[in-house]
Amino acid sequence: MAEAFPDIPKIAYEGPKSKNPLSFKHFNADEVVAGKKMRDHLRFGVAYWHTMRNTLSDPFGGGTAVRPWDDGTNSIENAQNRARICFEFMEKLGVDYYCFHDRDVAPECATLAESNKALDAVADVLEAEQQRTGKKLLWGTACLFAHARYCQGAATSPNAGVFAYAAAQVKKALEVTHRLGGEGYTFWGGREGYATLWNTNLKREMDHLAKFLHMAVAHKKAIGFKGPFYIEPKPREPSTHQYDSDAAACLNFLRQYDLMEHFKLNLETNHATLAGHSMRHEMEVAAAAGALGSIDANTGDELIGWDTDQFPTNIYLTTQIMLSLLNAGGFTTGGLNFDAKVRRESFEPVDLFHAHIGGMDAFARGLKIATAIIEDGRLDGFIKQRYSTFDSGIGAQIEKGEVGFAELEAYALKNGEPMLGSGRQEFLENLINEFI
Ligand code: XLS
Ligand code: NI
Ligand code: NI
C-alpha cells in the first residue's frame, strides 16, 4: 500500500524555539509533568468521523477535502484502506488513541445483517492495526443520527421499530468496541430530543431513553465489557431541544432513572458554550458528582452560534480545562478526543497535521501552566482562605450538620453583621496572567 502522507515525517518535539510547523513546540510525549508523562495526562484521541470522513461540506456547498487515498465509494475495501491510513496518521502524529462511530469506520449497507458484517470486516483491520502499532481505542459509539430512519429520534423515536433498530445497532457497536479493547463507550443523543412539542410526549420519550440505557447496561454486563458508559451533553443541533442538554441535566436524568453508577460524562467544549456555559463550568459540575469521564476537545467560534468543532488553540481555554482536570485527579479511562474538523478552506491532508499539532501543543501548554498554578499554590490558597469560616466554629458545625435554624438564629442575634472578604476577581485574573 502506498503511503498516504509521503512528504510528512514523524512529528517530533523540537521545543518552543523551533520554526518547523510540522513539529511540537510544547507536547513532548514522554516528558514528565506533575508526576506523569504528558501522553498519560493528555491521552489524545483522533476522531475518526472528522479526520477520516469529513468531506468539509456545509449547508451551502459540497465537500472540499482532498483525500487522495479515498476512492469515494462505500465499499468495504475503501473502508478498510481508510482504517489503515488512520493508523498511519496516528503513528506520524504520535497520538495514542482514536474514537469512532460504527458508520464512520464501516458503511451502512442495505440490511442490518450486511452492515454488521461490514463492521466486522473493518474491525478485523482495526484490530490488526492496533496490534501492529500499539494504538488504542478510547471509545466507540453508534451513529444514531445520520440515517433517515432516525430523523425523529432513535431511543426516543415515536416508532418502536426504530427503537429496536437503534438497540440492535448499539448492541453491535458495543460488541465491536469490546472486541477492540475500547476503554469506554459513548452515547451522544443528537436526535434524542424534539423539533416541536406539538407532536411530542416528552415524558414518554425520556422514559424510553432510560429503558434503552438500562438495556445497554444489561448487555454490557452480559458481554463482560468493563469500561464506563459516557453520556455526551449538547443542548441542541440537530434537534431543537436535546434531552441531554448539559451536564446538570444529564446528571439529573441519570439519577432520576437510577443510572448514575453506570455513566460518566463526555464533555465537549463547543457543546458547553452552546448550552450557555463555559467548559470549565461543565467540568466542575461533572467532577462534583464524580462523573467527569472524558473530553471532546474542540472549540466554537464566538461569532457563530453553532457547533463549529474547531481545533482548540486558545491557551486560556486549555489552561482552565487542565486545571479542572488535574484538580479532579486526571483521566482514568477518558482522554482528550479531538472532536474537531479542519476548516472548509483547509482542504489539504497536511492541514490535518497542522490542526492536531496545534491542539496538542495548546493542551501541553495548558497542562504545564495549570501545573505551575497548582505548584505555586496562591490560587488554591486564596480559595481555601475564602471559605475558612467553615473550617471551625459555627461554619464547621454547619458542615457537620450539628446545627439548625434555631441555633443559627441564636448565633446571628449574638454576633451581628458578618465580616465579608472581597472576592478579588481582578486580583485573581492578574494572578493567572502571570502564568500564561
Ligand atoms: C456532535 C457530537 C458527536 C459525538 C459522538 O456534535 O459531538 O460527534 O461526539 O457521537
Ligand atoms: Ni463530541
Ligand atoms: Ni459536537
Side-chain angles (χ1 to χ4, degrees):
M1 192 179 76
E3 271 192 65
F5 312 103
D7 303 329
I8 296 171
K10 185 157 173 28
I11 309 300
Y13 172 72
E14 292 184 5
K17 294 218 172 76
S18 169
K19 296 278 182 283
N20 174 8
L22 292 175
S23 74
F24 294 116
K25 316 286 187 296
H26 302 277
F27 177 64
N28 189 9
D30 292 319
E31 183 184 326
V32 174
V33 176
K36 264 203 301 201
K37 288 182 179 173
M38 292 180 91
R39 58 152 41 99
D40 298 327
H41 275 293
L42 299 167
R43 294 167 57 89
F44 290 124
V46 165
Y48 203 97
W49 52 101
H50 283 312
T51 298
M52 302 311 295
R53 300 310 311 274
N54 204 316
T55 62
L56 310 181
S57 66
D58 72 10
F60 300 91
T64 58
V66 176
R67 304 289 181 252
W69 56 84
D70 199 306
D71 69 14
T73 69
N74 261 336
S75 73
I76 293 175
E77 294 67 45
N78 192 29
Q80 290 176 319
N81 184 47
R82 247 190 237 123
R84 292 187 192 99
I85 282 149
C86 186
F87 280 81
E88 186 186 331
F89 179 72
M90 287 191 282
E91 279 191 285
K92 288 211 159 163
L93 195 60
V95 163
D96 295 332
Y97 293 90
Y98 70 110
C99 298
F100 67 75
H101 301 83
D102 50 358
R103 301 303 184 240
D104 322 318
V105 287
E108 171 123 21
C109 306
T111 66
L112 180 63
E114 284 173 55
S115 297
N116 286 348
K117 261 182 77 181
L119 186 51
D120 285 333
V122 179
D124 291 341
V125 175
L126 294 171
E127 190 170 36
E129 288 294 296
Q130 285 184 197
Q131 266 158 20
R132 182 181 70 74
T133 62
K135 306 288 175 201
K136 290 182 263 183
L137 178 59
L138 189 64
W139 50 259
T141 187
C143 176
L144 303 180
F145 45 88
H147 194 278
R149 86 176 68 84
Y150 297 125
C151 72
Q152 299 179 40
T156 63
S157 171
N159 183 302
V162 172
F163 184 105
Y165 209 108
Q169 219 182 299
V170 169
K171 176 178 180 291
K172 182 69 185 174
L174 190 54
E175 288 163 7
V176 170
T177 298
H178 184 40
R179 168 185 169 190
L180 295 173
E183 300 197 11
Y185 183 92
T186 292
F187 292 85
W188 170 64
R191 307 248 180 227
E192 312 296 24
Y194 55 80
T196 173
L197 284 171
W198 293 121
N199 65 14
T200 300
N201 185 333
L202 181 144
K203 168 78 164 69
R204 214 167 170 183
E205 291 200 0
M206 289 186 58
D207 287 351
H208 291 171
L209 181 56
K211 280 264 171 341
F212 191 91
L213 297 177
H214 274 290
M215 290 178 202
V217 168
H219 193 63
K220 161 184 160 162
K221 286 185 184 153
I223 64 175
F225 178 69
K226 295 280 183 291
F229 280 165
Y230 305 123
I231 291 213
E232 184 176 325
K234 186 177 184 183
R236 58 182 167 276
E237 196 201 351
S239 300
T240 307
H241 179 92
Q242 281 153 209
Y243 298 129
D244 302 330
S245 53
D246 65 3
C250 288
L251 292 169
N252 182 60
F253 175 88
L254 293 171
R255 287 197 187 98
Q256 182 178 348
Y257 290 101
D258 205 17
L259 285 158
M260 257 316 259
E261 65 174 298
H262 308 291
F263 283 82
K264 290 181 173 178
L265 302 183
N266 177 40
L267 299 172
E268 177 166 322
T269 318
N270 206 160
H271 299 182
T273 45
L274 281 176
H277 301 305
S278 67
M279 180 60 166
R280 196 155 183 228
H281 169 86
E282 291 292 82
M283 291 183 67
E284 293 292 321
V285 168
L292 181 56
S294 198
I295 289 177
D296 272 6
N298 65 13
T299 190
D301 187 309
E302 279 174 26
L303 304 179
I304 302 178
W306 65 85
D307 199 10
T308 58
D309 284 344
Q310 286 165 239
F311 276 83
T313 53
N314 183 322
I315 311 301
Y316 269 87
L317 173 68
T318 58
T319 297
Q320 292 182 51
I321 291 175
M322 291 314 297
L323 198 54
S324 284
L325 185 66
L326 291 174
N327 284 336
F331 288 126
T332 50
T333 53
L336 289 164
N337 167 48
F338 286 115
D339 193 350
K341 61 187 180 211
V342 289
R343 297 304 84 195
R344 193 163 185 274
E345 299 87 335
S346 309
F347 46 75
E348 293 178 5
V350 69
D351 292 308
L352 295 171
F353 282 90
H354 292 310
H356 284 84
I357 290 169
M360 293 163 79
D361 265 347
F363 269 99
R365 286 182 77 182
L367 168 63
K368 288 182 197 164
I369 294 167
T371 302
I373 291 170
I374 291 169
E375 282 171 359
D376 171 80
R378 277 178 288 166
L379 179 67
D380 198 40
F382 177 85
I383 296 171
K384 282 211 178 76
Q385 175 59 31
R386 189 162 180 243
Y387 292 88
S388 60
T389 57
F390 284 94
D391 292 341
S392 60
I394 193 74
Q397 286 182 296
I398 291 170
E399 287 197 348
K400 285 188 203 133
E402 291 171 357
V403 288
F405 272 9
E407 291 81 4
L408 293 174
E409 183 190 44
Y411 179 90
L413 286 169
K414 178 168 167 241
N415 289 277
E417 208 48 54
M419 289 266 289
L420 188 59
S422 166
R424 299 250 189 277
Q425 179 172 335
E426 299 77 6
F427 162 82
L428 293 168
E429 286 166 348
N430 298 348
L431 175 70
I432 296 304
N433 273 355
E434 278 184 35
F435 295 88
I436 291 189

